[in-house]
C-alpha cells in the first residue's frame, strides 16, 4: 500500500476508534470536542511515550492541552527511559514541585520500562505481579504527593498501555507468537496496577488498549506506531489525547 493511502487508512481508523471511545465513555452521546476549561497548565510525568520519543510529532499531553477551550499551557516532564522509581524521585526537585503545584491537570503514564525489564529478563507471572505492584505503589505515592502540593482540587489522569514492549508487525517479528503472549500478560499486570492506583487516590484511569488493540484485543496497532514498533506515531498520540479528553469530559 502506498504511504499516502496507508496514512489515510490509519487516519480513518483513528477517527472511528475515537468516536467509539467517546460514545462508550459517555454512554451513547459523544462528548463535545473539548473537555472544557482546565485551570492551570497540563503537566505530564512519565516515560518515553508521553515524552513523544521516536515520533517527531506533538506528544499527547501537549495535544490534550491544546484541545481545552481555551487552550492551556503544557509542561512535559516525561523522559525517555523513566521508570516509576524515576518519576517518584523526580518529585524531590523543587522545580518539579512548583510545576505540579501550578498545574490544573496532571497526566501520568509510567510503568512500561519497569515491566519491559522483567520481560527482557524472561520474567514469569510472579515476576510481573511483583514489579507491577511496585509500579502501583510508586504511582499512588506520586499522586498523594501531588495532592499534598495543592490547596484545592487537581485533576490527575493515569494512563494505561496497549503494550509495555514492542507491538504490531515489529513486535511479532522480534518476539514471535509466544513472546507477544508474554508481553500481553505483562501489560495486563501493569494496567491493573495503574487502574488500582488511580482508584485508591481518586485519580482517573484512562486506558489506551482499546484504541490501539481494539476492545477484543484483535486489532493490529502497526499503523498507530512509529517505525520502532514501540512508541506511538502522530496518529497514535492523537488517539491518546482524544481518549483522555473524552474521559475527563465524561466526569463533568
Amino acid at each position: 500500500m502506498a504511504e499516502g493511502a496507508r496514512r489515510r487508512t490509519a487516519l480513518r481508523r483513528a477517527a472511528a476508534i475515537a468516536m467509539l471511545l467517546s460514545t462508550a465513555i459517555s454512554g451513547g452521546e459523544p462528548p463535545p470536542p473539548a473537555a472544557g476549561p482546565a485551570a492551570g497548565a497540563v503537566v505530564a510525568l512519565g516515560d518515553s511515550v508521553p515524552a513523544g520519543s521516536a515520533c517527531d510529532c506533538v506528544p499527547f499531553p501537549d495535544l490534550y492541552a491544546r484541545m481545552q477551550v481555551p487552550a492551556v499551557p503544557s509542561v512535559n516532564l516525561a523522559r525517555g527511559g523513566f521508570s516509576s522509581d524515576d518519576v517518584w524521585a523526580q518529585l524531590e526537585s523543587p522545580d518539579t514541585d512548583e510545576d505540579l503545584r501550578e498545574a490544573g491537570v496532571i497526566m501520568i503514564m509510567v510503568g512500561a520500562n519497569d515491566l519491559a525489564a522483567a520481560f527482557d529478563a524472561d520474567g514469569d507471572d510472579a515476576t510481573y505481579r511483583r514489579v507491577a505492584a511496585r509500579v502501583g505503589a510508586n504511582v499512588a505515592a506520586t499522586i498523594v504527593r501531588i495532592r499534598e502540593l495543592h490547596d484545592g482540587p487537581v485533576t490527575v489522569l493515569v494512563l494505561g498501555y496497549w503494550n509495555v514492549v514492542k507491538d504490531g508487525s515489529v513486535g511479532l517479528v522480534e518476539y514471535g507468537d509466544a513472546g507477544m503472549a508474554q508481553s500481553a500478560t505483562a501489560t495486563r499486570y501493569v494496567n491493573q496496577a495503574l487502574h488500582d492506583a488511580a482508584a485508591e487516590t481518586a485519580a482517573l484511569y484512562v486506558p489506551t488498549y482499546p484504541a490501539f488493540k481494539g476492545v477484543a484485543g484483535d486489532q493490529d496497532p502497526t499503523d498507530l506506531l512509529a517505525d520502532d514498533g514501540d512508541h506511538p506515531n502522530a496518529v497514535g498520540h492523537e488517539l491518546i489525547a482524544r481518549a483522555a479528553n473524552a474521559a475527563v469530559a465524561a466526569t463533568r
Side-chain angles (χ1 to χ4, degrees):
M1 183 183 293
E3 180 61 29
R6 182 184 179 91
R7 178 167 178 79
R8 286 193 296 272
T9 298
L11 284 168
R12 284 196 297 270
R13 191 177 73 181
I17 294 168
M19 181 63 70
L20 286 172
L21 279 171
S22 298
T23 302
I25 291 170
S26 64
E29 292 296 327
V42 172
V43 176
L45 297 171
D47 55 29
S48 57
V49 176
S53 298
C55 182
D56 192 26
C57 65
V58 180
F60 74 81
D62 305 293
L63 290 174
Y64 175 87
R66 295 179 185 182
M67 288 177 180
Q68 308 313 301
V69 180
V72 297
S74 59
V75 179
N76 200 326
L77 302 179
R79 300 290 182 266
F82 263 23
S83 68
S84 62
D85 287 333
D86 294 320
V87 168
W88 171 242
Q90 218 175 355
L91 271 63
E92 296 178 358
S93 165
D95 290 341
T96 299
D97 281 1
E98 186 61 27
D99 286 329
L100 294 172
R101 187 177 288 110
E102 296 178 357
V105 175
I106 296 168
M107 310 181 89
I108 303 172
M109 189 175 191
V110 73
N113 289 318
D114 304 65
L115 270 294
F119 174 85
D120 291 340
D122 297 322
D124 54 14
D125 274 26
T127 304
Y128 298 147
R129 188 182 302 112
R130 174 179 54 79
V131 174
R134 181 171 180 82
V135 170
N138 280 336
V139 170
T142 297
I143 297 170
V144 169
R145 173 59 181 160
I146 288 168
R147 298 206 185 283
E148 289 173 349
L149 293 171
H150 281 259
D151 294 330
V154 59
T155 299
V156 180
L157 309 183
V158 178
L159 292 97
Y161 292 90
W162 60 94
N163 205 322
V164 296
V165 290
K166 297 176 183 178
D167 207 330
S169 58
V170 174
L172 186 59
V173 168
E174 183 159 338
Y175 308 135
D177 290 333
M180 292 294 281
Q182 275 295 305
S183 74
T185 298
T187 303
R188 283 195 297 273
Y189 276 114
V190 77
N191 282 343
Q192 187 62 54
L194 293 169
H195 173 277
D196 293 348
E200 292 166 8
T201 57
L204 180 61
Y205 177 71
V206 180
T208 63
Y209 186 95
F212 282 77
K213 306 281 284 190
V215 175
D218 56 358
Q219 179 175 296
D220 181 0
T222 300
D223 289 342
L224 304 176
L225 300 173
D227 290 341
D228 65 359
D230 198 19
H231 300 92
N233 60 19
V235 179
H237 276 284
E238 177 79 14
L239 270 183
I240 297 173
R242 289 185 178 277
N245 199 51
V248 173
T251 69
R252 292 180 172 170

